[in-house]
């Protein structure tokens, strides 16, 4: 299925650290940051990812709590994001996540459609995650297992196309 090129998929996830990033038990994770981010940057369908000003990544940003790191990116389609997450070397890092991060009871990943060219803010992302946690999946905030197409989101008034 081809998705509407007027829209891109935003993804935001949070991970609660078992240990501070400078703890030796986090060394393998920290060593994987640069290669996994480079893999994402070069992946087909990648559009944008959050980085802290003057840094190579966003691990120093803590908008969701002092022990919580965030990952925030935009992709051309849900297929492009899925392929990166589950069909690339990123999957091996995911398999090891329990070594570094606590298991979340609440949703820790949220997806939503945005107009192509829009750069979403961390504030938007936190609101979408809160909406998913409070109300469950909808065209405004969803997950891979309960996804909506860009057209469904637009039909519900939740994804306005970029101005031409």
């Amino acid at each position: 299925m081809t998705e509407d090129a007027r829209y891109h998929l935003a993804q935001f996830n949070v991970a609660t650290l078992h240990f501070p990033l400078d703890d030796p038990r986090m060394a393998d994770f920290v060593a994987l940051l640069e290669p996994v981010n480079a893999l994402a940057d070069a992946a087909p369908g990648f559009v944008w990812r959050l980085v802290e000003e003057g840094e190579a990544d966003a691990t120093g940003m803590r908008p969701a709590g002092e022990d919580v790191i965030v990952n925030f990116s935009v992709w051309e389609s849900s297929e492009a994001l899925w392929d990166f997450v589950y069909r690339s070397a990123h999957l091996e890092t995911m398999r090891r996540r329990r070594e570094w991060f606590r298991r979340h009871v609440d949703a820790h990943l949220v997806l939503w459609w945005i107009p192509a060219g829009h750069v979403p803010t961390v504030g938007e992302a936190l609101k979408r995650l809160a909406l998913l946690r409070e109300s469950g999946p909808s065209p405004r905030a969803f997950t891979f297992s309960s996804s909506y197409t860009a057209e469904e989101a637009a039909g519900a008034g939740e994804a306005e196309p970029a101005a031409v």
Side-chain angles (χ1 to χ4, degrees):
M1 168 179 71
T2 306
E3 289 171 348
D4 192 325
R6 295 175 299 166
Y7 306 102
H8 287 159
L9 185 68
Q11 82 74 34
F12 179 76
N13 69 70
V14 295
T16 303
L17 299 165
H18 279 306
F19 315 102
L21 287 177
D22 60 358
D23 186 292
R25 293 168 286 191
M26 296 297 290
D28 284 354
F29 172 74
V30 171
L32 288 167
L33 285 169
E34 185 177 334
V36 169
N37 284 334
L39 184 67
D41 293 349
F46 171 83
V47 175
W48 170 88
R49 72 179 164 86
L50 179 67
V51 296
E52 187 176 6
E53 190 172 331
E55 301 295 332
D57 58 46
T59 56
M61 300 176 77
R62 302 300 168 91
E66 279 306 308
D67 61 344
V68 179
I69 61 172
V70 299
N71 178 278
F72 193 5
S73 59
V74 174
W75 297 79
E76 290 178 354
S77 68
S78 58
E79 289 85 0
L81 176 58
W82 178 271
D83 286 346
F84 168 71
V85 172
Y86 296 107
R87 294 190 178 124
S88 76
H90 174 267
L91 182 59
E92 188 54 38
T93 302
M94 290 257 311
R95 287 185 175 130
R96 295 185 61 193
R97 69 188 178 275
R98 297 287 173 250
E99 295 176 37
W100 307 307
F101 308 111
R102 294 187 192 131
R103 186 177 299 272
H104 282 263
V105 175
D106 293 327
H108 64 279
L109 165 77
V110 64
L111 306 172
W112 72 99
W113 293 103
I114 60 173
H118 173 68
V119 177
T121 67
V122 172
E124 283 177 67
L126 291 169
K127 286 178 186 174
R128 299 287 178 149
L129 184 60
L131 178 65
L132 178 64
R133 287 175 172 174
E134 293 165 9
S135 304
S138 72
R140 296 183 70 201
F142 52 91
T143 66
F144 277 126
S145 62
S146 59
S147 65
Y148 290 82
T149 66
E151 291 76 16
E152 289 170 321
E158 296 304 332
E160 296 301 321
V164 180

